[in-house]
Amino acid sequence: MKIYGLNIEKIKNMDFSWVKEDMPLRYEKAMKYSIDADRLRSFGVALLLREIVGVKSEKDIIIEPNGKPVAKGYKCFNVSHSGAYSTLVVSDEPVGVDIIIPSAK
């Protein structure tokens, strides 16, 4: 199992126009967010899937009967995002990840 994290501050100025064409469902979901940081977290997940898992389009992802996403010809993966981070975990077996950033008090 490997876990990857991405600080969205590092991708603020990236061009994510490729997400609209390659991952339209993720793009549509991201664009529904009214806060820029929420969109960046979602785009960060798309970037991690492309760069780490090799997902070139949503067609490269299948959903197993148990609801877990799997990349065609690859490993199991799961994503999460919170605060300034997007995360991805990949494994040979079904896996999950959750990132929780405590709120400031």
Side-chain angles (χ1 to χ4, degrees):
M1 169 177 37
K2 291 188 178 183
I3 301 173
Y4 301 89
L6 175 65
N7 186 319
I8 62 169
E9 290 295 316
K10 297 184 184 279
I11 62 170
K12 272 175 135 174
N13 299 316
M14 287 184 74
D15 175 14
F16 285 101
S17 59
W18 58 269
V19 179
K20 186 174 185 177
E21 185 173 325
D22 298 342
M23 299 180 185
L25 296 176
R26 175 152 298 277
Y27 184 84
E28 183 179 322
K29 177 182 174 182
M31 296 311 291
K32 287 181 181 178
Y33 293 122
S34 59
I35 299 171
D36 288 341
D38 292 333
R39 276 193 293 276
L40 277 175
R41 282 188 285 273
S42 189
F43 289 147
V45 165
L47 182 61
L48 287 168
L49 288 171
R50 184 176 77 168
E51 298 298 317
I52 304 299
V53 180
V55 170
K56 300 298 182 209
S57 78
E58 288 169 345
K59 296 174 188 170
D60 293 336
I61 300 172
I62 57 172
I63 306 298
E64 294 188 325
N66 63 4
K68 289 282 189 184
V70 177
K72 289 182 181 178
Y74 199 75
K75 301 178 179 190
C76 301
F77 69 90
N78 194 253
V79 298
S80 181
H81 43 76
S82 181
Y85 296 94
S86 297
T87 59
L88 166 75
V89 61
V90 293
S91 177
D92 291 324
E93 298 179 21
V95 65
V97 66
D98 207 3
I99 182 171
I100 300 169
I101 306 296
S103 61
K105 292 186 180 189

